[in-house]
Amino acid sequence: MLTPRYEATERTGPSGETPVARYRPARERTGMALCLSGGGFRATLFHLGALRRLNEVGLLHRVDTFTSVSGGSIMAAFLATRVAWPLGAPVPREVWDRDVAAPVRRFTQRNLRTPAILRRWIQPWSSSAGSRALMALYAARLSSAKLGALPERPRFVFCATDMAYGVNFVFERARVGDYRLGYTDAAEWELARAVAASSCFPPVFNPLPLERPLSAFKGGSAPVVRGTPLDVRLSDGGLYDNLGLEPVWKDHRTVLVSDGGWTLMRAGDGGIFQRIGRYVEIVDYQAAALRKRWLISSFLAGEMTGTYWGIGSATSSYAKGGSGYPADLVEEVIAPVRTDLDAFSDAECAVLENHGYLLCDAAVATHLAAEAAGAPPAEPPNPRWLDAAAVRDALSGSAARSLFGRW
């Protein structure tokens, strides 16, 4: 039997592309992208630390595109609206502390999840009451800005999942949509809607309705089915790609990935109901693992430059790791911290920020030393919380979730 060959002369698809053209990355990669993963407030705080270090080493102001998912989208919204873009140099430390770090810490120390869920219970006839309430809370506590107010440079891309077509759905300054549905003008769409769609994680929040006529979306590859209404709804971006790689993997030369997302913990068999959840967890884990392996193999093959740091790693796993939390503390205490939108304690905020800062420093020092030449020595933002014993004690119950969350 002959194996089919994927030639450029193969039959084209609906969009006129051949298989080779569709899946081959752009030949001339340009620019730097930073991907901020999902993972609730845990990821938001982890990214806050990483962004602080990227700012110090002189890489933050060189980023051309920020992509974000869920908890990463919360951090990206703060970054987009609290920093005076474009930047020509690092943000001064005192300005960073006042305009970025302090507001993010305050935001993550209030329970956002439970008030939104209560709205769902109060209005059981509305399937999207909880996600709409989440959007209202973002508008009140994070930003009431429209997407048209986002900076021209760098480009911010907030990722959700199109439940109708099962693809990555983006909110940007210039456009909203996906390649299957098509795109529409973004100027009057709310930033709060983008963050809510990106972070309405199931099953706690139902998908957010599109609330725009499908006729407004142009250029999609999906065939139009006449006479069949389509209810397009948007869910957490992590359902499709929790790393936020999808918008940038084909065309950026340098890709940085900050991963504060969920990590698969070991678990014994707990019966049929536990197994059902475990099946879903494993499917999700292997999809994320494949993306990570592809990313690292692309670095090794020289297809792109960049680096990756994940919340489940210790700085000791990097050649130039420097100081950081010990591996056993990371595995047993820090990585299991809940991925939720309830109130995080002072200790949780401090440790997660430190961990993101130190891992980013180790990753950059190991893989991007030339780009960060002359960077100042690392100074973790919360030195009081570097003691392993103190961290183990303060975060001993941080993995547990409760019905009404923490306040």
Side-chain angles (χ1 to χ4, degrees):
M1 180 181 294
L2 295 177
T3 302
R5 298 187 340 179
Y6 292 94
E7 302 282 354
T9 56
E10 281 191 76
R11 184 169 45 192
T12 61
S15 62
E17 290 181 311
T18 65
V20 169
R22 182 178 180 187
Y23 292 105
R24 179 194 295 138
R27 294 184 179 181
E28 294 298 329
R29 293 178 175 273
T30 60
M32 179 184 295
L34 173 60
C35 305
L36 303 176
S37 80
F41 284 165
R42 181 182 84 168
T44 303
L45 292 159
F46 180 79
H47 299 325
L48 175 63
L51 288 166
R52 175 188 288 270
R53 187 53 180 161
L54 288 174
N55 179 60
E56 291 175 352
V57 302
L59 288 178
L60 185 66
H61 68 275
R62 295 168 52 190
V63 174
D64 298 286
T65 304
F66 291 92
T67 68
S68 60
V69 180
S70 194
S73 288
I74 295 172
M75 185 63 246
F78 273 105
L79 193 66
T81 58
R82 269 41 174 214
V83 172
W85 301 101
L87 297 174
V91 178
R93 181 168 185 168
E94 63 276 9
V95 176
W96 180 271
D97 285 334
R98 183 193 68 217
D99 295 346
V100 180
V104 170
R105 292 188 198 119
R106 286 195 299 269
F107 186 85
T108 57
Q109 290 182 313
R110 299 175 67 184
N111 188 324
L112 200 72
R113 179 254 285 177
T114 306
I117 294 175
L118 290 175
R119 179 60 62 182
R120 175 180 173 182
W121 291 349
I122 293 170
Q123 297 178 334
W125 62 87
S126 173
S127 64
S128 59
S131 51
R132 291 176 193 273
L134 185 64
M135 181 173 70
L137 288 167
Y138 285 137
R141 299 183 187 179
L142 199 164
S143 175
S144 60
K146 300 292 181 67
L147 293 180
L150 291 174
E152 291 187 32
R153 185 186 180 281
R155 170 186 169 213
F156 283 86
V157 184
F158 298 86
C159 299
T161 300
D162 178 339
M163 296 293 287
Y165 291 109
V167 296
N168 193 62
F169 186 100
V170 299
F171 294 84
E172 305 180 39
R173 181 180 186 274
R175 65 177 187 169
V176 169
D178 59 62
Y179 82 96
R180 294 282 283 162
L181 178 65
Y183 297 91
T184 189
D185 182 74
E188 294 305 312
W189 290 64
E190 308 93 331
L191 177 59
R193 181 180 295 273
V195 180
S198 182
S199 62
C200 56
F201 55 92
V204 176
F205 297 104
N206 286 330
L208 191 67
L210 191 61
E211 296 183 327
R212 295 293 194 281
L214 297 187
S215 59
F217 293 81
K218 307 295 184 183
S221 65
V224 177
V225 180
R226 301 293 180 187
T228 305
L230 185 63
D231 184 9
V232 177
R233 299 193 175 219
L234 307 175
S235 191
D236 190 300
L239 291 176
Y240 187 81
D241 172 17
N242 199 49
L243 295 181
L245 277 167
E246 189 65 20
V248 298
W249 72 271
K250 278 189 176 183
D251 52 16
H252 282 65
R253 179 59 189 158
T254 301
V255 177
L256 315 178
V257 178
S258 181
D259 183 7
W262 168 84
T263 53
L264 185 69
M265 299 298 171
R266 64 185 180 187
D269 187 80
I272 181 61
F273 295 108
Q274 183 266 353
R275 279 185 222 127
I276 292 172
R278 192 63 172 175
Y279 295 147
V280 175
E281 290 177 347
I282 292 172
V283 169
D284 180 68
Y285 177 76
Q286 65 87 19
L290 286 173
R291 288 187 183 273
K292 293 175 191 175
R293 289 171 187 169
W294 167 83
L295 179 71
I296 301 303
S297 67
S298 296
F299 292 154
L300 295 174
E303 295 176 9
M304 63 176 77
T305 61
T307 188
Y308 164 94
W309 56 92
I311 196 168
S313 301
T315 56
S316 58
S317 63
Y318 291 88
K320 298 181 181 179
S323 61
Y325 294 115
D328 62 335
L329 183 70
V330 171
E331 180 180 358
E332 297 166 11
V333 178
I334 299 177
V337 171
R338 65 198 180 283
T339 54
D340 209 337
L341 298 178
D342 62 356
F344 275 52
S345 68
D346 286 335
E348 289 168 338
C349 291
V351 172
L352 289 167
E353 187 179 4
N354 277 351
H355 191 42
Y357 180 97
L358 291 165
L359 277 176
C360 175
D361 176 68
V364 169
T366 301
H367 299 292
L368 294 171
E371 289 84 345
E379 295 182 16
N382 306 291
R384 175 190 166 208
W385 288 103
L386 292 174
D387 179 73
V391 170
R392 187 176 291 275
D393 181 62
L395 272 62
S396 60
S398 294
R401 293 185 177 90
S402 63
L403 179 60
F404 293 103
R406 305 177 187 210
W407 296 84

